[in-house]
Amino acid sequence: MWFYLVISVALFFLIRWFLERQTVENLKEKYVFITGCDSGFGNQLARQLDMQGLRILAGCLTQKGAEELERVTSDRLKTIIMDVTSTESVAMATEWVKEHVGNKGLWGLVNNAGVVHPAAPNEWLTKNDFVKVLDVNLVGLIDVTLHMLPLVKKAKGRVVNVASILGRLAFYGGGYCPSKYGVEAFSDCLRRELRPSGVKIAIIEPGYFRTGMTDVQGNLNKLEQIWTNVAQETKDSYGQTYFDNYYKMFKEALVTQCSTDLYLVTDCMEHALTSKHPRTRYSGGWDAQFFFIPLSYLPTVLSDLVLTWSWPKSVRAV
């Protein structure tokens, strides 16, 4: 019995390997729109696909980011200043994309724009702290998708949504985890709804990487600022020692756990856009593939134990 099981598993992976190596034809005639291209994964992907000859339409939040991206890429790549939290800005960007793609439609939409701050233990935050993150990471992503979807359907193309391992295993306070869980849910619903139309939906689930969102000093400064604004009663329930230990743990994680190889994620994005048979989910990074995603399948009591064993204890801990 075990022999046949091993053979079946090996055959499955062999067939998948063969199918995933087949690429889409006429890629150099296809348009891809990417949000959040000022830095990080979006910037890397835009440059990567530009080198492959695709026609890239890059949404940047700042003029500086747009000019720098244009400077290091070919004339095929075009940029537009875009704020995903503004429906007016999203609508203008959609019209701009429509003018470029014409009757071909939009082959790829990559919803990459995202923020992480404010982020801290939930009790230290306010409703507005959560809203700031959800507006970009989830509501903005949905708004962009709904505006661009008719163009993607015309091309029978792809929507690639950037979630996170924190959309599969939540252990970080603030709006980031809820927003990424929302991205997973929205993407799953959209995939099932659009299956008859020929549009494919892929979810990217990166682990920890060195991008603007994981800048060490910037994160530590924001954490200190949040702690300063916490109500005194809440501060007393945790204690200064808790904050000091949390600060050290947070700093160590940022310094030691973030990979600098962004290609581990952007290669997943590229495959989702260029393979005839893209995956539904991509785990970007060794930590995602071999630690966080497997951990998410364990019984909750075990995953809780693994994730929190090194966390500091508050002065009023049971």
Side-chain angles (χ1 to χ4, degrees), residues 47 116 122 303:
R47 292 185 282 113
V116 66
N122 289 306
S303 60

Side-chain angles (χ1 to χ4, degrees), residues 49-153:
L49 295 180
D50 178 63
M51 291 182 64
Q52 299 285 354
L54 280 79
R55 300 177 182 273
I56 305 305
L57 304 173
C60 297
L61 183 61
T62 66
Q63 187 65 42
K64 179 181 178 182
E67 291 175 354
E68 177 60 23
L69 181 58
E70 289 180 344
R71 186 183 67 81
V72 296
T73 52
S74 73
D75 293 339
R76 288 186 306 273
L77 185 142
K78 308 296 180 184
T79 62
I80 185 172
I81 307 303
M82 176 190 182
D83 179 359
V84 299
T85 66
S86 166
T87 295
E88 181 181 0
S89 178
V90 172
M92 290 177 61
T94 303
E95 290 302 313
W96 178 78
V97 170
K98 188 181 299 184
E99 292 175 2
H100 280 83
V101 304
N103 293 327
K104 292 182 178 179
L106 181 63
W107 172 254
L109 167 61
V110 182
N111 283 306
N112 164 77
V115 296
V116 66
H117 295 292
N122 289 306
E123 197 176 0
W124 301 1
L125 302 172
T126 67
K127 171 187 173 181
N128 286 338
D129 291 331
F130 286 83
V131 170
K132 289 175 184 176
V133 180
L134 289 163
D135 272 351
V136 177
N137 294 2
L138 180 57
V139 180
L141 178 148
I142 293 172
D143 198 18
V144 173
T145 303
L146 296 181
H147 274 82
M148 300 279 184
L149 204 51
L151 300 176
V152 179
K153 290 175 72 174

Side-chain angles (χ1 to χ4, degrees), residues 165 168-169 181 291-300 303:
I165 51 94
R168 297 279 293 273
L169 194 68
Y181 268 76
F291 181 70
F292 290 114
I293 298 300
L295 186 62
S296 71
Y297 289 104
L298 291 181
T300 302
S303 60

Side-chain angles (χ1 to χ4, degrees), residues 12-281:
F12 166 79
F13 281 105
L14 180 63
I15 293 173
R16 189 177 76 166
W17 174 83
F18 173 75
L19 292 175
E20 289 183 348
R21 286 177 57 87
Q22 300 178 31
T23 58
V24 174
E25 298 175 353
N26 301 319
L27 282 172
K28 293 185 178 181
E29 300 300 319
K30 297 187 183 299
Y31 287 87
V32 176
F33 180 75
I34 310 168
T35 66
C37 290
D38 298 76
S39 61
F41 297 132
N43 185 276
Q44 173 68 43
L45 179 65
R47 292 185 282 113
Q48 187 171 327
L49 295 180
D50 178 63
M51 291 182 64
Q52 299 285 354
L54 280 79
R55 300 177 182 273
I56 305 305
L57 304 173
C60 297
L61 183 61
T62 66
Q63 187 65 42
K64 179 181 178 182
E67 291 175 354
E68 177 60 23
L69 181 58
E70 289 180 344
R71 186 183 67 81
V72 296
T73 52
S74 73
D75 293 339
R76 288 186 306 273
L77 185 142
K78 308 296 180 184
T79 62
I80 185 172
I81 307 303
M82 176 190 182
D83 179 359
V84 299
T85 66
S86 166
T87 295
E88 181 181 0
S89 178
V90 172
M92 290 177 61
T94 303
E95 290 302 313
W96 178 78
V97 170
K98 188 181 299 184
E99 292 175 2
H100 280 83
V101 304
N103 293 327
K104 292 182 178 179
L106 181 63
W107 172 254
L109 167 61
V110 182
N111 283 306
N112 164 77
V115 296
V116 66
H117 295 292
N122 289 306
E123 197 176 0
W124 301 1
L125 302 172
T126 67
K127 171 187 173 181
N128 286 338
D129 291 331
F130 286 83
V131 170
K132 289 175 184 176
V133 180
L134 289 163
D135 272 351
V136 177
N137 294 2
L138 180 57
V139 180
L141 178 148
I142 293 172
D143 198 18
V144 173
T145 303
L146 296 181
H147 274 82
M148 300 279 184
L149 204 51
L151 300 176
V152 179
K153 290 175 72 174
K154 182 177 290 187
K156 289 184 170 54
R158 313 284 171 80
V159 177
V160 180
N161 290 331
V162 180
S164 169
I165 51 94
L166 292 172
R168 297 279 293 273
L169 194 68
F171 55 91
Y172 200 81
Y176 191 79
C177 290
S179 72
K180 295 305 182 179
Y181 268 76
V183 170
E184 296 270 354
F186 175 69
S187 301
D188 282 344
C189 292
L190 197 65
R191 182 184 67 254
R192 290 162 181 145
E193 291 168 354
L194 296 180
R195 185 177 181 183
S197 71
V199 174
K200 292 182 170 61
I201 313 296
I203 305 169
I204 311 297
E205 300 171 332
Y208 280 88
F209 284 86
R210 177 69 64 225
T211 67
M213 287 200 300
T214 54
D215 173 71
V216 177
Q217 196 56 52
N219 275 272
L220 295 176
N221 291 343
K222 288 182 173 66
L223 182 62
E224 287 183 317
Q225 183 180 4
I226 290 170
W227 176 248
T228 300
N229 295 328
V230 170
Q232 190 59 49
E233 181 181 7
T234 304
K235 278 186 177 180
D236 292 342
S237 72
Y238 282 87
Q240 184 63 38
T241 300
Y242 180 96
F243 173 77
D244 293 339
N245 291 334
Y246 187 89
Y247 183 97
K248 292 177 184 177
M249 179 186 70
F250 190 44
K251 180 178 180 180
E252 183 180 358
L254 289 170
V255 171
T256 63
Q257 295 181 14
C258 296
S259 170
T260 58
D261 187 2
L262 301 190
Y263 283 103
L264 292 173
V265 174
T266 58
D267 283 350
C268 294
M269 296 174 170
E270 180 181 339
H271 186 271
L273 292 165
T274 61
S275 173
K276 283 187 177 181
H277 304 280
R279 298 184 185 181
T280 300
R281 283 178 167 80

